[in-house]
Amino acid sequence: MVKQDDVIERTSIVTYALLEELHEVLADAKDPDETSLGVIMGLAMFLDDKIGPMRSQKLMSQAPEIILKTDAHVTDELMQRFAPVLRAFGTHLAEFAAAPVATRPLSKVS
């Protein structure tokens, strides 16, 4: 049986590793902070969409109280566990970003 702490820890590790890979693929060497700001904005939009602004604000204010078993950082061993899949994903994104993509509408057309 999985404990709630295990779900939080596992999700945190995967999220961290995924964001590391995304930052590597998306960051402009001249201005990597722009990518970090984009990640923060994307995370905020994701939370607002999934749980609503009121709950996301509450969860984010409680986040400092959540302590991972790994002392609130991701060890190299844990990163290596998730790295193969996330690196493949990052490689795919890099190839996708490098290739010209036909513009598609963002909304559905009836």
Side-chain angles (χ1 to χ4, degrees):
M1 181 177 200
V2 177
K3 296 180 188 176
Q4 183 63 25
D5 289 347
D6 295 332
V7 172
I8 292 170
E9 181 176 293
R10 186 175 57 252
T11 304
S12 298
I13 292 165
V14 170
T15 301
Y16 177 87
L18 178 59
L19 292 175
E20 279 285 324
E21 193 63 36
L22 284 173
H23 197 277
E24 177 81 18
V25 169
L26 298 174
D28 179 355
K30 294 177 235 157
D31 200 359
D33 287 349
E34 290 293 307
T35 302
S36 296
L37 291 173
V39 168
I40 292 168
M41 287 178 60
L43 181 58
M45 290 186 293
F46 175 82
L47 291 173
D48 283 352
D49 185 48
K50 293 295 178 191
I51 63 176
M54 299 304 245
R55 279 184 58 212
S56 65
Q57 184 177 18
K58 179 181 177 185
L59 286 173
M60 292 303 284
S61 69
Q62 291 176 349
E65 302 300 319
I66 298 171
I67 299 173
L68 299 177
K69 292 178 188 173
T70 56
D71 196 21
H73 70 277
V74 178
T75 64
D76 289 341
E77 180 183 339
L78 290 170
M79 282 290 286
Q80 292 309 312
R81 187 172 173 192
F82 297 101
V85 171
L86 296 175
R87 285 209 180 104
F89 179 64
T91 300
H92 176 71
L93 284 178
E95 290 169 0
F96 179 74
V101 178
T103 306
R104 298 182 327 190
L106 295 176
S107 59
K108 293 181 182 178
V109 178
S110 313

